[in-house]
Amino acid sequence: MIKATTVQKETLRHIPKVDRVLSWDLMAPLAASHQRPELLAAIRSVLDRLRAAVRNGDPVDFSEERVVSLVRAELDQRSMPSLREVVNASGVVIHTNLGRSPLATAAEEAIHRASRGYSNLEFDLAAGERGTRYVHVEGLICELTGAEAALVVNNNAAAVILALSSLAQGRDVIVSRGELVEIGGSFRIPEVMLQSGARLVEVGATNRTHPRDYRAAINDATALLLKVHTSNFAVVGFTAEVTAEEMSALGRETGVPVMVDAGSGCLIDLAPYGIAGESTIRRYLAAGADVVTFSGDKLLGGPQAGIIAGRRDLVEPMKRHPLLRALRMDKLSLAALEATLRLYRDERRAIREIPTLAMLTATPADLSRRADRILGMLRRRLPKTVTLAKQPGESSAGGGSLPLLRLPTSLIEVRIAGASVQQIEQGLRLASIPVVGRIQRDRFLLDVRTILDHDLPGLALALGEAAASLSGGDQ
């Protein structure tokens, strides 16, 4: 603890007490608009910060005007939700740090219906008895993927753990060294397998693995052949990998089931939209994979979920596994997932209404026109200290999906008189509605691909706030 000097002790004695602050005339509006316990907590917090500043030797203003201003700011901060709406102008479509995929309107409405009252979450209305929550999405998943059975849990890592624990606990799972991926938060496939109770058997090399490598490792203890889709990185050059078809053929020949961790969960062939390299779940299963796991909030464009689809005799035991209770999805996520999956019954509707798919498939011409509309709107609202210019650029898929994909886009360069790009970035990030863009070649850029229609008022507000704070808001 820092020992206060004589001068500091004298200064500390002049910091007003809580009762005195409450008695100030300038506090009356705050006292009228806030509950007393809330107001007291804010005052104590401010006074504690002032005392700490004095002990640190910092200059302190404890006038009535300054203290009331700090209390007002503290109350505003305390009333602000921690989880907040953010404008994603980064151009990373599936931005993990910003919540991954925004939901379709149909999914939002489904969440509202499920949250405002009771539901038939685990009640079979036809039979009048207890049912299962998974029935609400299992049929849809099977319809869209060609699977015999399906199950959902709270994320894909959970799906992998449940599947491995059910199918391979205490036995060997063979996987290529080139597919021992690390996903977000430093979670690694070997560690996930360890938690499941399965034994990892590595085969091949980092850059090249052949069917013969798997064949040589198969023995009586082998429970699964595992293929992990390297959705968040790519190995290029002198490479070779075993395809799902080749692995499935080997599995049928040897009697060893094949599991695919497909990661990002693509339900539509995106090649016609100029996005190649991502197999659909239906293709994995048609190729002979026995079990496929994938995410709900990446390319699928729904809520966070881990989906397991495959052979009935392999999936059904997972529904009775003790781990399932700990990994199950809540009713709101289930409602959103069901609504999202229903959109996939019409591919054109899915592309149009699921935001992730709409953003990924937007054409350069569409984005250029969108940038022009956004520029027109912003220029009408912002002071002349803000200069905006359209630039060509590239977006990325993000979220551990399509790591090599670069999508042509339109960018808006933002300049504010007297402000550096770092100051602009910080000013927008700390705005009342935060805006996350990107700095590239000493330019602050907004990518219109990931700016949603309902983001536009917030974007204009944030730019106006940044202009006012960084350049004084001169017209």
Side-chain angles (χ1 to χ4, degrees), residues 112 126 176 183:
H112 178 66
S176 168
I183 58 177

Side-chain angles (χ1 to χ4, degrees), residues 56-69:
N56 288 334
D58 300 330
V60 175
D61 177 3
F62 42 82
S63 64
E64 181 174 343
E65 293 78 6
R66 177 58 177 164
V67 172
V68 171
S69 174

Side-chain angles (χ1 to χ4, degrees), residues 203-225:
V203 297
T206 303
N207 61 322
R208 291 178 69 83
T209 303
H210 306 278
R212 63 177 180 270
D213 297 317
Y214 289 91
R215 183 186 298 276
I218 293 174
N219 57 42
D220 291 342
T222 303
L224 278 178
L225 303 179

